[in-house]
Structure formats: structure tokens, C-alpha cells
Amino acid sequence: MADTPHLYLVDGSAYIFRAYHRLPPLTDPEGTPVGAVYGYTTMLWKLADDLHKADGPTHLAVVLDKSSHSFRNEIYDQYKAHRPDPPEDLVPQFPLIRHATRAFSLPCIEEPGVEADDMIASYARVAQDQGWNVTIVSSDKDLMQLVGEKDGARIDMLDTMKNARIYIEEVEEKFGVPPEKVGDVLALMGDSVDNIPGIFGVGPKTASKLIAEHGDLTAALDAAADMKKSKLKERLLEHRADAEMSRVLVTLREDCPLPIALDEMKLEGVPPEPLAAFLSKHGFTSLLKRLDAGTGSPSRKTDLNPARQDTPGAAASSEGSRQPLPDFPAVDRSAYECVQTIERLEHWVERAHAARLVAVDTETSSLDCMLCDLVGVSLALGPNDACYIPLGHGGSDMFAEKPQQIDRAAALAALAPMLASEAVLKVFHNGKYDLNVLARNGVDVSPIDDTMIISFDLDAGRQLDGIGGGHGMDELAERHLGHTCLSFKEVCGTGRKAIPFGEVPLDKATEYAAEDADVTWRLYQHLKPRLATEGGTKIYERVDRPLVPVVAQMERHGIKVDRTRLAKLSEEFASETARLEKEIHQIAGTEFTVGSPKQLGDVLFDKLGYKGGKKGKSGQYSTDQSVLERLSGDGAEIASKVLEWRQLAKLKSTYTDALQEAINPETGRVHTSYSLVGAQTGRLSSTDPNLQNIPIRTEIGRQIRDAFVASEGHVLLAADYSQIELRLAAHMADVPSLKEAFANGEDIHARTATEMFGEVNRDTRGRAKTINFAILYGISRWGLAGRLGVQPDEAQAMIDTYFQRFPGIQKYIVRKLEEVRERGYSETLFGRKTWFPRISSKNQAERQGSERAAINAPIQGTSADIIKRAMARMMPALEEAGLAHVRMLLQVHDELVFELPEADVDAASAVIERVMAGAAEPAVRLDVPLGVEIGTGTSWGAAH
DNA sequence: CGGATCACG
DNA sequence: GACGTACGTGATCCGA
């Protein structure tokens, strides 16, 4: 219905509180905190920009809380009584919210003595009664009471942070009752933030159950009398009055006087001048750019900007730390050159030498850099000053004429000296990929910089909800340059219609490929200076940058696997799983898919009637290992058979089958791909295939390690850091007794057991080990209790003892958390930052999760830094010792795997041990020695 | 495509 | 007995 008006009511006050806690603390050029305001501004922009879109606003108003006093205080003097003062750096942002609203020329409603919720309810109802649709921009649970439809006019809600519409189903999902009953549920459960009492001891679960069962609040309270004796019954009876008063407090007033008329909320367009002034005053440069670049302002009839997909969080986080941008012209793809003659190529190479800095990108026939063919190379020397050199286009149709392009070998020969020249810096985005492709084509590249890694070293962890915090080029272009890159899909299509890049016509290919180089060049100009101003230089230059060529080479080496052995294992696993499956079906008395947790749960707990089935939030019984082990312990034979089936099925599909598939036909080896930006803490991650999770913990799984073998005449050497994270914890938290234990080469878990329990035996050592790990991961009494199989208060006593024996640990945890809360990030000993945007979240689970991660990150991250430094130094050290032929193949977080001639084992072991043990120095002097354990064998399994 | 499960440090 | 319980990853399967 195009002509049905659609009113958007923005709950401004609630938004800024939420934005404040979810966005990083930014300041504008004058030093005023503006993080929440930035989020607010981007939200208004997006809303205003949706004018004329389906379901977008035709009318819009912002509603703010003017004062905290309302009719509710008359009813209940404790209403909102214990609310803490807003944080110091949020206070100056309140007036700015008004300024921002005015800058968009939007009406802003605030009435003394009336809460925003009531005002929103009143406007929503009036509009709905006129037949308008209404969207309330908020996620406040109180407002969910309003959701629904009347005479075809609909009220819904929009949570802009989650970009989610909230309609009847969503409300029912949250409360278990329809919107009109939400008030009854709220009245029972109360609200600690607003200090609404509800009924003590009743939370959302119980509340919604009671209302769903009895219909409404009064009925539920009445029913209490007939309940059987329980705590709940007592409480319902005793606190009935509280609940009834709460019911009034949570009821929204829908009859507030309306200060402005609905018609005045009509959204027609946003005049650009006041908005520009506001954006510029507060340093919101990316928005300002969009305003200038677009057709003027948001919500003009032409859709203003294609580059509007970043979330407030992501945009804000970079906005706040942004350098003033050199004034680059907008990307103009028509400016790019397609280089088709050797003369033109030589011209570009010459210019690259003169510029001494060139952004480079390669295009290939597939995403696997160990299998693909090189299809073209692009270069960029400045904004819009970029070219594409096609080298492998056409050819799928043998009869069609290939487009004109330089002979690949000739072109690479022309490029190679420049790519290898120490005098020309080559900038890539994810250079490891390009390095591998070029190396496979006989071209070495050095020196290089990498914008993906720079972004990671600056902004790891800064994203919220995994949105907008990645380090991919398209994402960074949006975030930092306000530019939308041509997508690969647009160029190559998708699904069955997809074509390889080599079949893309040259004009389109040039636009896509040269743009990538151009954007890389621009990102480099933007990100590189930030390293210096934001303290990222050390970690980038000393740790991550040198690692790129090293890891690239490891990937190219690959590792040999014994295909025959894997195939044999696959067969064994297959026949065993088949046998087990039959037995399982027999016991169950029905054929079902054993691999389906859902079906399995129904069989175990419904059909066979086993007790203790717990359903998770998906409404499905949990059938994980711990559950099955319990059932098996209780004598359920089917459970132990399923466990065995699962283990074998997992090993077969994930390892023995998949690893055979992963053997590269050209090299006969398996080449994983390491991500240098995969883990927030700075660890590497491994994919396609993941070689960092090859089984070792069970005997049957360990057979898979035996299939990783050395080539003829060689052995594999595995070098492990022993207990590196605990050693680092001892150093970083400065715990004398632990440091001493490591210095003396003691068994650290035994030492902990002595300190904690007074004696060492298998039991106390095991407990001590669990506690040691619990400390590294951030601890809760419940978590520890679960692991140790004791009661939470007993676990708490152990934690207390631990902290008493090692007071440095507790001080360290407190200090680190304070630091992260204040600065927003944690730091490793080598200066690697990990950001924790949720560290002060109001959501307890979210906040505590961040706290645990923040305690762990410096330790896990420092360990990652150390092994990375060892890796970067390893080959030069081996070469110096005349061991250049030793090949470093794998890294598994605290382990390095090498392949070498058997005769060199002793010499190489000495070098490897020395490099690994000394990897922290000289940058960091550790108070504990780094222990390294080395083993060798013809297989990886044997090397342990 | 998300959830459940399970492999590793 | 409200909330949800250890940190960091990636691959596979099922089922909507």
C-alpha cells in the first residue's frame, strides 16, 4: 500500500544508552566524547535514507526522556530509584543527541513529566487508529506490549543494532506470550534496572509460564492459593500486592497530550547544510564524504549512496581513530588501463621503480593458490592510477579467438626485477596468497607490506557481532574509504552460471582487477600512518610482517600424507560404523539417522524413555558427549555405541576421507592455508584442510597422525613449547613460587597441587591442572565445579585458596580488567592489541564473556607472538648453520613441525631449540625459561 | 545457513 | 533458583 503513511518513532534515549555500551569511546576533534552520538547519527541517516523504500518511513519523530520523574513516581517512590548516574563520558552526549536530531531537521519530542515510552505509546496508538503503520525504533521490552495489528494497521518494532524487525512472533518467542500479555509477564518478573519489584524469585521463565498457563496476572495470582506447597506459591501469595502495583508501573500510558501533530512529522528530505555543519563539527568525516559524494543528503528521492552497509559499530570504531585522509578523488574505474603490449608494461614497470611503492594484486582461476593458474596482474601507483595486465584470459573455448595479451612468460620476466627489487615496496592485501601464486610461477617478491595484516594489527576484535570487523578488502574499502568495490559475483556470476576470472571480458576484468590494486593503494595510505600513531608499528614490523613470506613458504612446502594408510583407515572406520549402526538400530527398535542429534534425542528420551533429557533453546534434546557418557555410565549400552559411532564417523569424514581429497595432484602433498588474521588473539588458524586439529588425544585418533609422514630418506621433527601459557602467566602476573618452579624444571601441576592441597597424588595433581587452566581462561565457580565434579561452593573455596597461594594472579586479573575497561583493548608483552568492545556491556553474559576473553588474550597472544618470532628467525638461523635444506612445514600454536634428512637431526635440533627458547629476546626478557621438547620419527605420530 | 557436535592448542 | 558459565579455533552433518 504505497499511500499508507508509515510513522517511525525513534526511542532516542534508550538508543544512546545502548549505543554507548556497544560502541568504542570515540572523541571528536575538540575532545568531546561522541561514540554514542556517532552511532545515533548513522542510525538516523539510515532511517532517513529509507524514505520511499518499502516499509520505510513517510513520517518520523524522535522521542527523548526529558526528566526521570513521571506518574510512576507518584505510585511508587522507589521507581527507578537505584539507577546509577550515567557514565561520565555519556553525559555530554545527551545534548548532542538533540543537536544531531536537529541537524537532520527532524522533529524531536520531549515533555517534562512524561516518559518517552508513554509518549511513544500515545503517538503509536493515535497513528494506528488513523490507519497508519507504525514502527517503533527501539528494543525496549516494555514497548513490546504495543506490537500488533488493528484494523489492518500494524505496529512493529525495529532493533537497528541487530537490524531486526520485531513483530508478534518475535515477542512471543521472547516472552512466551502474545504482546498484550507482556505487561502481565513483566509485572511478575519485575525489572531491576527500573526497580520494579515484581515477585521476588520469579524470573522471565517462571513468569511467562504462569501467564501462559493461567491467562493473565490476576488469574495467575488467584491460582496461587490452589498450588501445592512450594516456594513459588508462598511468594505469589506474599508479594501479590507488589505484582499488582508492578502491573500498573509497566502499563504504558496511551493518552499523553501530544505536543505536535502527526502531519508535522512528515519526512520529505534532509536539507544538507545543517547536517554538513554538524558532521564536520564532530569530525564524522566518512559521513561528510558521503554527503558530498551523494546527491546531497540522505532521503533525497534518488537513493544517495551505494556505500551504506557498514554497521554503526564498525564505522564508528574506525572513524574515531582515523587520520585526516589525504583528499583522494572518488574511484573512477574508467581511468584504468588494460595493458596489452610489452611496451606499455615496460612503461608501468618504469613508473613503479620511480614511485618506489606499488600496490599489486593477482587474479587467478580459482581460490586455491596451490592449484590455480595465474590469470592476470594489476598494479596501482596512485588513486585511479592503476592497470590490469591480462595473462591468461580466454582459452576455455578452443575455437574462439583469445583476447590480445602479452605472453605470460615475457610479462613475468618484465615484472620480476621490479617485484624483487629492494628499492620498490610492493603492497598487497593478503599478500601470502599472491606470493604463493607468483612463487609457483617462478617469481620472487620482496619487500612487501600487507594492508590486511596492518588492519588486523590495528583493529583486531573491534567488530561487534562479527559484523563489519573483518579485514577483507571490500569491507575495509567500505569502512575506511566509503567505497563499494565491484563484487566478485557481479563480475563472475554465481552458482552454476559462474565463470572463471579468465573468461571475464577484458574491459570488465580491468575494472575489477585494477580497482583492487587501486583500493589496496588507498587503504595503505590510510592505514599505514595509523600504525605509528596508535602503537602498532612494533607488532607489525617485528612480528607479523616478517612472518608473511615465512608462512607462505610453509604452505608451499606442504606435508606428505600416506594415502594408502588413510584409505585403509577409512575402510576400517566405515565397516565399524556400519556394524555399530546396525546394533544401535536394533537396540532402539527402529531405523533412524544416528548422525542426527535431533532424531537421536527423540529415540533416547522419548522412545526409550531414558531420564534426564535436557532440551536446549532449540527445543531439542542435548545428546553431546557428556550426556551420552552419563547414560552409558548408567548402563545404557546404546549410548556407548553411539559414542563410538560418533568418534569413528568424525574421524572418517573429517580426517581420513578429507585428507585424501586434499592431496595436491601436482605435488602429492597436503597444503593447508594459514590465516594470519583468523584469531583475535594473534594466533594463526589453519583451513582447507585444518591441520591444527589432527587427532592426538585418543589412541584410535592418533593413527591419523601416523599417516603424516616424511619423504624418502627424511624424518619429521616436532618441537613443542612446554607449558608456554602457564610460564607466561607466571611471568606476567609475577608469581614467585611458580617462577621458581619453572626455573627448577619442576612439574608445574604437581607444584600447584602441593601449594593448594599440601600433597601430590594423582587426584590432587589432576585437580591442580584443571585449576591452572581455569585460571588462564578466566574462572567461575560454576565452570570449575562442573569440570571437577564438585559443588560450586567447594570450587569457590579452591579458587580462594589458589588466589591466596598465588596473590599475584588475582592482582593481575583485576589490573588487566581495569586496563581493558579503560582503554578498550588488551595488550601482549609485544604490544599486540586485542579490542573488547563489549567489556562494559550491560548484558551480564556478554560482559563476563568479554572479561574472560580479556584475561586470556594477553597470555594466549603473547604465546602466539613468541612462536611467530621463532618462525621468522628459524630459516635464517638454520641457513647460518648450513641447514638450509631443513623445511619448516607446520605450526600448531605451540609446536613446529620440520622435515629434514635424518643425518641432520642433531644439528637441526640444537638450532631449533635455541631459536624457540630465545624467541622472546631481546624485545622481552622473561623471568621464566621457555622449555622446548623435541622428538623425531618417520611420521608425525612417531615424532611425539 | 544456523545449530549441534567434536577435533586441536 | 533469573541469567549462564572456561579461552581460542575449523569441519562436518543435519534439517529447515
Side-chain angles (χ1 to χ4, degrees):
Chain A
M1 299 284 263
D3 41 15
T4 304
H6 195 148
L7 169 65
Y8 273 51
L9 293 163
V10 179
D11 185 1
S13 307
Y15 182 88
I16 51 168
F17 271 98
R18 226 168 134 222
Y20 172 81
H21 289 291
R22 293 177 64 121
L23 300 179
L26 317 173
T27 51
D28 72 6
E30 289 173 23
T32 312
V34 290
V37 178
Y38 182 87
Y40 180 75
T41 307
T42 57
M43 176 196 64
L44 284 190
W45 184 298
K46 169 140 183 31
L47 291 177
D49 207 21
D50 283 346
L51 169 64
H52 300 297
K53 289 196 188 153
D55 243 356
T58 60
H59 294 67
L60 194 152
V62 173
V63 184
L64 298 174
D65 273 321
K66 177 83 177 179
S67 61
S68 59
H69 200 84
S70 74
F71 77 96
R72 293 185 179 81
N73 302 89
E74 314 291 328
I75 300 172
Y76 181 46
D77 59 358
Q78 291 298 301
Y79 178 65
K80 293 195 176 175
H82 302 308
R83 220 175 238 205
D85 288 333
E88 216 173 287
D89 53 338
L90 180 55
V91 173
Q93 301 194 51
F94 290 125
L96 293 182
I97 294 299
R98 248 164 253 134
H99 296 173
T101 314
R102 240 179 272 136
F104 279 87
S105 308
L106 295 170
C108 186
I109 299 163
E110 36 185 346
E111 287 284 293
V114 179
E115 288 189 67
D117 286 0
D118 298 313
M119 189 60 81
I120 289 171
S122 303
Y123 269 110
R125 225 34 115 183
V126 167
Q128 188 185 34
D129 288 344
Q130 292 190 15
W132 293 19
N133 289 325
V134 180
T135 293
I136 298 166
V137 181
S138 174
S139 53
D140 188 326
K141 57 185 182 326
D142 296 327
L143 289 167
M144 292 186 185
Q145 301 178 67
L146 295 166
V147 166
E149 208 165 290
K150 197 157 84 185
D151 305 326
R154 157 185 177 133
I155 299 179
D156 63 12
M157 291 175 68
L158 175 65
D159 180 340
T160 54
M161 288 199 188
K162 295 191 180 140
N163 198 18
R165 288 268 165 184
I166 300 166
Y167 198 53
I168 298 174
E169 302 83 72
E170 285 74 23
V171 176
E172 284 185 342
E173 195 181 322
K174 184 172 170 66
F175 286 101
V177 297
E180 60 272 17
K181 307 244 186 232
V182 165
D184 294 319
V185 174
L186 292 171
L188 278 175
M189 62 188 258
D191 184 339
S192 57
V193 180
D194 290 348
N195 204 31
I196 291 175
I199 289 200
F200 175 79
V202 172
K205 288 274 143 61
T206 314
S208 84
K209 201 173 132 243
L210 285 170
I211 298 303
E213 219 169 280
H214 301 288
D216 63 26
L217 179 69
T218 314
L221 292 171
D222 288 345
D226 299 329
M227 288 181 185
K228 56 178 194 247
K229 192 166 155 28
S230 70
K231 262 267 163 325
L232 178 64
K233 173 181 181 170
E234 270 174 47
R235 285 172 173 162
L236 287 174
L237 291 173
E238 186 181 344
H239 300 290
R240 177 171 187 129
D242 281 348
E244 283 170 338
M245 179 187 68
S246 299
R247 186 68 184 88
V248 181
L249 290 175
V250 301
T251 302
L252 296 170
R253 271 185 70 174
E254 298 181 4
D255 58 352
C256 300
L258 306 180
I260 71 169
L262 287 179
D263 288 341
E264 293 173 54
M265 298 178 183
K266 192 158 174 56
L267 178 61
E268 277 169 314
V270 177
E273 292 78 17
L275 182 54
F278 175 82
L279 297 177
S280 139
K281 177 167 161 55
H282 296 293
F284 297 162
T285 47
S286 70
L287 293 176
L288 195 58
K289 261 179 99 138
R290 276 192 215 163
L291 190 63
D292 294 338
T295 50
S297 63
S299 88
R300 283 284 164 85
K301 285 192 179 166
T302 40
D303 186 21
L304 92 155
N305 65 86
R308 198 183 29 72
Q309 279 153 32
D310 46 356
T311 59
S317 57
S318 51
E319 185 93 25
S321 43
R322 175 167 310 166
Q323 309 283 309
L325 261 185
D327 221 353
F328 294 140
V331 171
D332 174 11
R333 294 183 195 110
S334 68
Y336 302 144
E337 176 181 346
C338 182
V339 175
Q340 292 171 290
T341 64
I342 193 81
E343 290 75 26
R344 288 304 299 160
L345 176 56
E346 278 163 0
H347 176 70
W348 276 94
V349 169
E350 225 168 89
R351 290 187 59 219
H353 275 289
R356 299 209 305 251
L357 186 151
V358 56
V360 186
D361 188 36
T362 59
E363 301 302 331
T364 56
S365 57
S366 82
L367 282 174
D368 184 338
C369 63
M370 287 306 295
L371 280 174
C372 64
D373 293 318
L374 178 61
V375 166
V377 176
S378 46
L379 307 174
L381 298 171
N384 296 329
D385 186 5
C387 69
Y388 178 56
I389 309 146
L391 301 171
H393 280 255
S396 73
D397 180 350
M398 286 159 64
F399 303 103
E401 203 179 327
K402 282 195 197 177
Q404 188 197 331
Q405 51 201 315
I406 311 168
D407 171 68
R408 186 184 309 187
L412 290 177
L415 282 165
M418 184 274 284
L419 293 176
S421 166
E422 288 300 314
V424 184
L425 177 62
K426 276 70 63 176
V427 182
F428 293 89
H429 193 84
N430 189 16
K432 182 168 64 62
Y433 182 91
D434 307 86
L435 253 51
N436 279 339
V437 173
L438 289 165
R440 285 180 52 234
N441 282 275
V443 178
D444 286 332
V445 185
S446 173
I448 71 152
D449 255 324
D450 192 323
T451 46
M452 186 173 77
I453 309 230
I454 295 174
S455 168
F456 178 74
D457 286 346
L458 289 166
D459 293 328
R462 256 185 167 167
Q463 80 274 26
L464 295 160
D465 281 333
I467 309 164
H471 307 279
M473 175 157 51
D474 292 359
E475 218 175 318
L476 296 184
E478 297 273 2
R479 202 183 315 156
H480 299 299
L481 309 173
H483 172 71
T484 305
C485 294
L486 270 181
S487 76
F488 188 78
K489 279 184 195 160
E490 282 170 73
V491 177
C492 290
T494 169
R496 268 181 296 126
K497 280 182 285 181
I499 52 168
F501 196 80
E503 299 307 318
V504 174
L506 290 193
D507 52 349
K508 200 75 191 163
T510 299
E511 287 191 1
Y512 176 85
E515 178 183 52
D516 278 1
D518 184 5
V519 164
T520 301
W521 189 93
R522 291 168 191 244
L523 284 174
Y524 184 72
Q525 306 300 325
H526 172 65
L527 294 173
K528 184 72 196 304
R530 280 184 56 200
L531 283 174
T533 54
E534 295 174 33
T537 303
K538 210 167 90 184
I539 199 73
Y540 177 67
E541 295 293 344
R542 301 275 178 82
V543 181
D544 285 344
R545 184 182 180 212
L547 199 68
V548 175
V550 174
V551 174
Q553 189 169 49
M554 291 168 70
E555 293 181 5
R556 289 201 303 281
H557 285 327
I559 186 164
K560 186 175 172 192
V561 297
D562 184 340
R563 186 197 292 271
T564 320
R565 201 156 185 171
L566 288 173
K568 225 163 126 192
L569 285 172
S570 275
E571 255 175 61
E572 281 175 36
F573 295 159
S575 61
E576 273 296 285
T577 46
R579 179 182 62 79
L580 286 163
E581 190 162 296
K582 243 188 210 155
E583 294 177 7
I584 291 164
H585 288 164
Q586 215 148 49
I587 301 175
T590 175
E591 300 215 341
F592 67 104
T593 310
V594 181
S596 162
K598 185 169 149 52
Q599 293 184 30
L600 176 65
D602 292 343
V603 166
L604 288 175
F605 299 110
D606 289 340
K607 183 155 191 308
L608 298 180
Y610 283 110
K611 295 279 173 297
K614 275 210 191 96
K615 292 191 178 183
K617 53 189 158 191
S618 63
Q620 190 178 315
Y621 290 113
S622 167
T623 64
D624 68 13
Q625 207 161 10
S626 64
V627 173
L628 294 179
E629 274 166 2
R630 184 175 54 75
L631 289 178
S632 156
D634 294 347
E637 203 192 356
I638 186 169
S640 52
K641 289 198 189 294
V642 170
L643 278 170
E644 207 181 332
W645 183 92
R646 278 213 184 134
Q647 183 188 20
L648 296 172
K650 170 95 179 176
L651 293 176
K652 180 172 186 297
S653 68
T654 310
Y655 301 105
T656 55
D657 287 354
L659 281 171
Q660 296 181 65
E661 300 272 307
I663 296 172
N664 183 306
E666 248 176 68
T667 65
R669 295 164 73 101
V670 174
H671 306 266
T672 184
S673 171
Y674 288 104
S675 170
L676 304 181
V677 300
Q680 315 279 315
T681 53
R683 274 191 176 180
L684 305 190
S685 71
S686 159
T687 57
D688 306 312
N690 182 353
L691 295 186
Q692 290 182 322
N693 72 346
I694 303 301
I696 192 167
R697 292 175 187 171
T698 66
E699 190 45 54
I700 186 153
R702 209 167 319 176
Q703 297 178 66
I704 291 163
R705 264 185 202 234
D706 293 331
F708 285 78
V709 294
S711 58
E712 195 63 34
H714 289 63
V715 291
L716 292 181
L717 182 154
D720 284 58
Y721 280 113
S722 119
Q723 309 284 12
I724 186 168
E725 293 195 3
L726 277 175
R727 288 172 195 256
L728 291 173
H731 169 85
M732 292 164 81
D734 193 18
V735 185
S737 57
L738 289 180
K739 289 199 291 196
E740 188 191 301
F742 280 124
N744 297 336
E746 285 175 40
D747 174 338
I748 197 64
H749 301 311
R751 174 66 174 250
T752 309
T754 312
E755 297 271 355
M756 296 222 21
F757 306 111
E759 62 168 328
V760 191
N761 55 41
R762 187 189 277 192
D763 174 57
T764 55
R765 185 181 181 280
R767 285 160 173 252
K769 186 175 175 183
T770 301
I771 296 168
N772 276 328
F773 279 104
I775 296 296
L776 296 183
Y777 298 151
I779 198 166
S780 83
R781 75 185 78 164
W782 297 277
L784 185 61
R787 300 276 159 151
L788 289 177
V790 300
Q791 290 307 307
D793 51 350
E794 209 175 322
Q796 183 63 54
M798 290 190 209
I799 296 169
D800 293 343
T801 312
Y802 192 96
F803 285 151
Q804 211 171 11
R805 304 301 297 174
F806 310 117
I809 297 274
Q810 188 168 32
K811 276 192 221 138
Y812 171 83
I813 290 173
V814 170
R815 193 169 71 238
K816 286 295 138 184
L817 286 179
E818 271 171 8
E819 218 173 86
V820 175
R821 272 192 283 268
E822 187 174 324
R823 306 194 298 200
Y825 58 84
S826 71
E827 240 178 333
T828 65
L829 289 183
F830 299 88
R832 178 187 306 282
K833 292 178 181 175
T834 303
W835 292 83
F836 293 93
R838 306 250 159 114
I839 196 73
S840 297
S841 168
K842 271 193 187 168
N843 178 325
Q844 176 176 272
E846 214 169 57
R847 186 179 63 248
Q848 290 177 340
S850 289
E851 287 174 351
R852 292 192 296 268
I855 290 166
N856 181 246
I859 297 168
Q860 190 182 113
T862 301
S863 157
D865 293 344
I866 287 174
I867 196 167
K868 281 177 164 180
R869 288 166 61 93
M871 291 163 72
R873 292 175 188 180
M874 193 59 76
M875 284 322 296
L878 287 166
E879 278 158 25
E880 201 180 324
L883 295 162
H885 50 280
V886 174
R887 300 202 283 185
M888 183 160 61
L889 308 185
L890 302 178
Q891 189 252 42
V892 192
H893 309 310
D894 62 0
E895 172 186 7
L896 294 172
V897 178
F898 300 83
E899 185 177 41
L900 66 167
E902 188 160 15
D904 291 333
V905 164
D906 289 344
S909 296
V911 175
I912 290 165
E913 207 268 345
R914 173 167 54 80
V915 170
M916 286 177 74
E921 294 165 11
V924 170
R925 188 77 218 223
L926 294 175
D927 301 339
V928 289
L930 290 180
V932 178
E933 289 171 0
I934 291 181
T936 56
T938 50
S939 75
W940 194 7
H944 267 283

